[in-house]
Amino acid sequence: MKKFDLKKLKDIDYKKLAKDFWYGKPHGERRLGDLYCEKTGLYKHREWRGFKDTMYYFNMIWLYNYGSIVAEVLKSGGLEGLPLFVKGLWRYRWIGQAYLPVLHWFDRGLEGMRGETLRASAWHYNAMVGVSVQQILNMLKADANMHGGKHNDTWKHTIAHKETLWGGVFYPWSDKFQNVPMEMIPYFVTCHVNNHTVLNYIDAVQSIGLPGDPCPMCQAEAGLFVLDDMPDYAPFMVSTNEACDGSVASTVLQEWLWDKPLFAMPQPMQFDDPLVQEHCANEIRELWKFVEEQTGVAPNFDLMNKRLESQNELQRFEWEKWDVAANTNHYPINGVAQALYRIYQSQYGDNPIWHRTDKRVRKIMEKCVEQRIDTFPKTRHRVIAWSCAPLYYSNWCTWAYNCWGLNTIINMDSLMFNMTIRTDNLDNTVLDMARYHEWAPMRRMAVGGMHHIFELWEYMEKFHCDMVMMYDQLQCKGMQGVHGMFEDEFRARDIHAIWMPHALPDKRTVSRSEIRTIINDYMTTVMHEEPIDPSLLDFDDSQGW
């Protein structure tokens, strides 16, 4: 038997061991990549964040969110909520594939986070889960497929619309009807939680003859209907051409397969012309007429103004957050939590969950500012992310900070709805709603004309960023057309920009590993920098969620 070397016990720094146990290892010593199981990206064991933060993560993130998921199911679904949700797991594959790994979604997005940064970012994730559960239950309660083909009262009081259509246009009916975006949960959310989920929908729509080169987002949205994986939860639908005409093509298939009354509400691509503004405002008025005809209920504009003012309150706090992010080192929200929460919040519209979350986050942020807490102390570069992001790898910015000190301060999609809406008279309100509608995700700064596409320089200066992560959506014909112009501007302005190729929801075109390799190569060959955590440089997560 081999003798134990007592000298090793003497060499142990017990003081450092105790400190690492209580506070967690400092960033340069963590070796987060050593936690991963081969090919899955799952943890071999929990990340030790120090005693206080590990207990917080276990209690206030893992246990709290599992409890809040069940609580939200019961709250949104009533007595039938839990059995209905379980039944939905069997009927719709996207529910199970998104629900089961949801806490792993938290793990990826919050990896390496500590202290107030961990808490503020986690509350954003919790809010997104809560609203997702609400939307799933709203769908299932109204779903004719779940009720023997019967159209119940909930079905008659639900409005279906494209995920890229702002939910606020339905505020005048929000006391009697619920609006549920068709693809927001089945497509958009599931991509982030589980990058395998939408691949079968893309394959399904291509199997009926659609070429493989259109936007994979539109392919996946249509594929949901091809595979009959969309609940039948509303008597009519409202569509839009946002972000591009690929959305029009997917709507054609959706309308054909769903066979419901449809109102098409186009968003202009060149919207700075006042005449175009008026045209878009008239489209909203026409939409209201359509909804009134379909429901038999007149719009309540007093209710609409109340909801708009509540939404304006959310936007005003968003500006406060941006100010802290732009001008201090005390902003406690990481890049992925900030971006996804902003898209959720602005696209869905007013919801009590957003207000509760903002109240909690305000408290944390004010503490960070007052106590001058450096929330991302290993920041080497302040990064702005521009164009349309890879949905299957939205947590790349968490990895990039842990590995290289690249701190994503702001994302393009976060800046879309940068306005409040007037409620002084109906004409002004409708004009502002038209503007808001036009500034939708991917519309304003992706296909809204060169002036808006090149707002990058203005926001880069405002947020004091020294590097650009330039998303390169390979199947987006609009942004591909200005690739060379961006290259010219980066050279002329002497800006460090990393081009990140991807295919929105389809990880098979460019894998997460390839994205990391591109960033690694740039940081070593161009920036001549060494990684903060070398264990994150190269790992296989090809089978991971």
Side-chain angles (χ1 to χ4, degrees):
M1 177 183 278
K2 189 176 180 180
K3 290 184 178 181
F4 182 75
D5 189 355
L6 293 176
K7 290 183 179 179
K8 289 183 178 180
L9 292 176
K10 295 179 180 179
D11 293 337
I12 295 174
D13 186 343
Y14 290 100
K15 194 172 182 181
K16 170 108 173 40
L17 202 64
K19 185 177 181 181
D20 288 347
F21 170 78
W22 192 253
Y23 296 107
K25 286 186 176 182
H27 200 116
E29 299 177 20
R30 291 176 192 171
R31 294 194 61 83
L32 293 169
D34 293 346
L35 294 176
Y36 301 147
C37 297
E38 185 68 15
K39 294 189 177 182
T40 68
L42 296 171
Y43 289 157
K44 298 173 185 175
H45 58 79
R46 306 305 309 156
E47 177 188 351
W48 187 257
R49 303 167 188 262
F51 183 80
K52 184 177 179 181
D53 284 343
T54 301
M55 292 302 104
Y56 182 90
Y57 201 97
F58 179 72
N59 289 291
M60 292 303 296
I61 297 177
W62 268 79
L63 289 182
Y64 180 87
N65 277 283
Y66 271 127
S68 66
I69 287 171
V70 174
E72 197 62 58
V73 166
L74 295 173
K75 180 181 175 183
S76 300
L79 294 176
E80 65 167 343
L82 201 54
L84 192 63
F85 191 82
V86 173
K87 192 176 177 183
L89 288 173
W90 290 102
R91 174 60 178 83
Y92 301 107
R93 80 171 70 204
W94 50 267
I95 296 180
Q97 289 185 343
Y99 168 73
L100 293 176
V102 69
L103 267 298
H104 183 59
W105 181 43
F106 279 64
D107 286 347
R108 291 195 309 263
L110 302 174
E111 187 173 71
M113 299 295 105
R114 300 285 192 272
E116 304 312 312
T117 306
L118 171 67
R119 288 153 179 74
S121 301
W123 280 120
H124 286 80
Y125 271 84
N126 174 259
M128 292 186 286
V129 170
V131 170
S132 296
V133 172
Q134 283 182 359
Q135 293 292 309
I136 292 171
L137 264 295
N138 287 341
M139 280 181 162
L140 296 181
K141 283 190 298 181
D143 184 16
N145 297 329
M146 304 288 285
H147 295 89
K150 296 179 181 177
H151 295 152
N152 59 21
D153 190 63
T154 307
W155 182 88
K156 296 173 184 175
H157 286 81
T158 304
I159 301 169
H161 59 94
K162 294 286 289 184
E163 63 167 326
T164 49
L165 179 65
W166 168 48
V169 293
F170 303 107
Y171 283 161
W173 289 271
S174 55
D175 58 340
K176 296 181 175 65
F177 294 82
Q178 59 187 0
N179 66 282
V180 181
M182 295 187 295
E183 312 95 347
M184 188 74 178
I185 306 300
Y187 158 74
F188 178 78
V189 175
T190 57
C191 293
H192 297 285
V193 180
N194 182 349
N195 66 75
H196 301 285
T197 308
V198 305
L199 304 181
N200 56 298
Y201 301 127
I202 293 172
D203 294 342
V205 76
Q206 289 183 17
S207 73
I208 64 171
L210 187 75
D213 65 321
C215 175
M217 165 183 159
C218 304
Q219 294 184 57
E221 290 177 345
L224 282 159
F225 289 77
V226 172
L227 290 183
D228 189 28
D229 226 14
M230 175 61 66
D232 177 7
Y233 65 90
F236 61 93
M237 62 185 286
V238 182
S239 71
T240 179
N241 61 337
E242 204 273 306
C244 66
D245 288 342
S247 295
V248 178
S250 63
T251 301
V252 171
L253 287 171
Q254 291 169 336
E255 182 190 14
W256 171 44
L257 293 163
W258 228 12
D259 193 24
K260 296 179 185 292
L262 167 73
F263 183 87
M265 185 176 171
Q267 293 168 290
M269 295 183 71
Q270 293 287 352
F271 46 76
D272 294 317
D273 188 327
L275 293 177
V276 176
Q277 275 292 104
E278 189 58 45
H279 171 77
C280 191
N282 286 332
E283 290 288 346
I284 294 177
R285 295 186 180 94
E286 290 299 317
L287 167 67
W288 289 342
K289 290 179 184 177
F290 172 79
V291 175
E292 184 173 0
E293 290 168 0
Q294 293 295 319
T295 63
V297 178
N300 182 342
F301 293 123
D302 289 336
L303 173 64
M304 179 184 75
N305 287 343
K306 183 178 178 181
R307 297 294 303 275
L308 287 172
E309 284 297 344
S310 183
Q311 179 180 303
N312 286 341
E313 184 182 330
L314 297 172
Q315 179 59 50
R316 282 188 283 269
F317 180 56
E318 194 68 21
W319 286 334
E320 291 183 43
K321 290 162 66 179
W322 294 357
D323 185 52
V324 173
N327 300 303
T328 77
N329 297 323
H330 315 312
Y331 187 59
I333 305 152
N334 73 8
V336 59
Q338 176 265 326
L340 290 179
Y341 179 78
R342 175 63 176 161
I343 292 171
Y344 259 80
Q345 181 203 73
S346 54
Q347 194 68 38
Y348 273 129
D350 186 48
N351 187 300
I353 287 180
W354 310 139
H355 293 275
R356 293 198 298 269
T357 301
D358 282 2
K359 186 177 180 180
R360 290 178 172 123
V361 172
R362 178 188 290 277
K363 199 171 181 181
I364 295 171
M365 188 173 74
E366 287 178 349
K367 176 184 176 181
C368 291
V369 172
E370 289 168 4
Q371 298 182 13
R372 298 185 176 277
I373 297 172
D374 189 351
T375 48
F376 293 93
K378 292 297 181 179
T379 297
R380 290 174 175 172
H381 300 282
R382 292 172 62 90
V383 180
I384 183 170
W386 205 253
S387 195
C388 310
L391 304 189
Y392 60 90
Y393 198 20
S394 57
N395 62 299
W396 70 266
C397 47
T398 310
W399 167 84
Y401 174 74
N402 288 324
C403 186
W404 289 104
L406 301 177
N407 185 6
T408 304
I409 304 298
I410 199 72
N411 292 263
M412 184 190 80
D413 284 342
S414 305
L415 300 164
M416 291 292 185
F417 298 107
N418 189 9
M419 61 178 292
T420 56
I421 297 173
R422 292 172 292 177
T423 57
D424 54 342
N425 66 69
L426 188 57
D427 287 339
N428 285 339
T429 300
V430 178
L431 281 172
D432 281 1
M433 291 176 77
R435 174 72 73 186
Y436 191 96
H437 179 56
E438 292 160 354
W439 285 4
M442 302 180 291
R443 172 58 98 187
R444 173 177 154 201
M445 298 163 183
V447 291
M450 293 309 301
H451 166 69
H452 297 291
I453 291 172
F454 280 172
E455 284 182 47
L456 168 60
W457 323 123
E458 173 190 337
Y459 282 111
M460 192 175 182
E461 181 178 349
K462 177 178 179 180
F463 285 91
H464 300 98
C465 295
D466 65 317
M467 184 177 282
V468 178
M469 191 63 64
M470 193 70 198
Y471 297 132
D472 188 15
Q473 212 283 73
L474 299 176
Q475 287 157 278
C476 179
K477 308 302 187 290
M479 289 305 289
Q480 284 294 312
V482 295
H483 189 121
M485 298 178 72
F486 269 108
E487 286 279 21
D488 290 343
E489 289 290 333
F490 290 142
R491 279 191 288 267
R493 297 168 185 266
D494 195 23
I495 290 173
H496 284 289
I498 303 177
W499 285 89
M500 183 190 290
H502 67 91
L504 215 56
D506 194 341
K507 66 168 188 175
R508 297 169 297 190
T509 305
V510 181
S511 70
R512 293 179 296 192
S513 177
E514 289 175 88
I515 288 173
R516 291 192 294 270
T517 298
I518 289 167
I519 297 174
N520 290 341
D521 288 347
Y522 193 94
M523 296 306 295
T524 54
T525 62
V526 178
M527 303 303 293
H528 305 293
E529 295 182 8
E530 296 292 327
I532 295 172
D533 186 344
S535 70
L536 293 172
L537 280 175
D538 184 27
F539 57 91
D540 184 356
D541 61 347
S542 56
Q543 297 176 11
W545 291 323

